[in-house]
Amino acid sequence: MLTESRTQDFVAVVLGVYTALSPIWTDHSGRAMWTLIVLGVLIALTGLAQFARPAEAGSDYAMGLFGVLLFIAPWVMNYSSYNAASWTSWIVGVLTVAVAVAALPQVTARMHTAH
């Protein structure tokens, strides 16, 4: 059975894989494609790193950073005119930050003590 942190790690991997593969079905530019692939792979790798070492909080912070970068990427990398790629970045970026925050040790400890 998956624990809460394992579920969050699994969700992060799914979000990363979805983002990395999204250029297959979304309209995009070259910059958008590589941004989605690179950040998607990094998000998936941080989720996998959390599977390997669940007590390591550094991966959660990195995942949150990658989520923020993914959210601002359409403006920074100038692909906001590609609606599908932009919405993928915005939605997955927000979800990635939410998963990263929920997996932080401080938040997890509060969730387990608040009964």
Side-chain angles (χ1 to χ4, degrees):
M1 183 167 185
L2 295 173
T3 63
E4 289 173 2
S5 67
R6 296 288 185 189
T7 303
Q8 293 158 348
D9 301 338
F10 177 75
V11 170
V13 172
V14 170
L15 289 171
V17 170
Y18 176 84
T19 303
L21 295 178
S22 68
I24 294 171
W25 57 81
T26 60
D27 189 26
H28 59 276
S29 65
R31 282 183 171 188
M33 178 183 73
W34 286 110
T35 302
L36 291 169
I37 290 171
V38 168
L39 288 174
V41 167
L42 290 172
I43 290 167
L45 287 175
T46 55
L48 291 173
Q50 281 299 101
F51 271 124
R53 290 188 241 167
E56 181 75 30
S59 297
D60 295 324
Y61 291 110
M63 187 185 312
L65 174 65
F66 297 144
V68 169
L69 291 176
L70 187 61
F71 183 82
I72 65 171
W75 298 292
V76 173
M77 299 303 287
N78 199 23
Y79 64 88
S80 59
S81 61
Y82 293 93
N83 287 334
S86 296
W87 279 103
T88 298
S89 291
W90 294 326
I91 292 169
V92 175
V94 167
L95 291 174
T96 301
V97 169
V99 168
V101 168
L104 288 173
Q106 303 90 329
V107 176
T108 304
R110 285 185 185 159
M111 289 184 345
H112 290 296
T113 58
H115 291 284

